[in-house]
Amino acid sequence: YTQALAVAYLRLCGVVIGGWLLARSHDIACAKRSEDPEFYDSKRQLCRFFAEHIAPQALWLQREFVTGNDSIVDADPALF
């Protein structure tokens, strides 16, 4: 049963940890923007993209991890 959860769990961890690291990066970019506006604006733009397009996947992945693995666990291996 645990192995059936592994893929969803690892994908969820990737999105959540990536979001956490980019949030930290965004804070740094805001604080240091005056040093190199073009570079730090590109960092902020990347963080915004992640927040709008990638981070929302965490909700779906969390749901898959919690409730979506019954079809894997209940499957009869002989039928594959």
Side-chain angles (χ1 to χ4, degrees):
Y1 183 73
T2 305
Q3 293 171 342
L5 302 172
V7 172
Y9 177 76
L10 291 173
R11 290 177 62 204
L12 175 60
C13 286
V15 171
V16 172
I17 293 169
W20 169 66
L21 290 171
L22 281 171
R24 291 181 65 201
S25 174
H26 186 269
D27 288 345
I28 294 167
C30 288
K32 294 187 173 191
R33 185 181 182 276
S34 61
E35 296 174 19
D36 188 350
E38 186 177 345
F39 175 75
Y40 288 111
D41 283 347
S42 70
K43 290 285 188 184
R44 292 171 61 208
Q45 183 176 327
L46 175 66
C47 294
R48 180 178 176 196
F49 172 83
F50 188 92
E52 292 178 358
H53 296 276
I54 307 298
Q57 294 176 17
L59 297 172
W60 178 81
L61 291 167
Q62 182 267 341
R63 183 174 181 265
E64 179 185 359
F65 176 72
V66 173
T67 64
N69 291 297
D70 290 339
S71 61
I72 296 170
V73 175
D74 294 341
D76 182 356
L79 297 176
F80 288 104

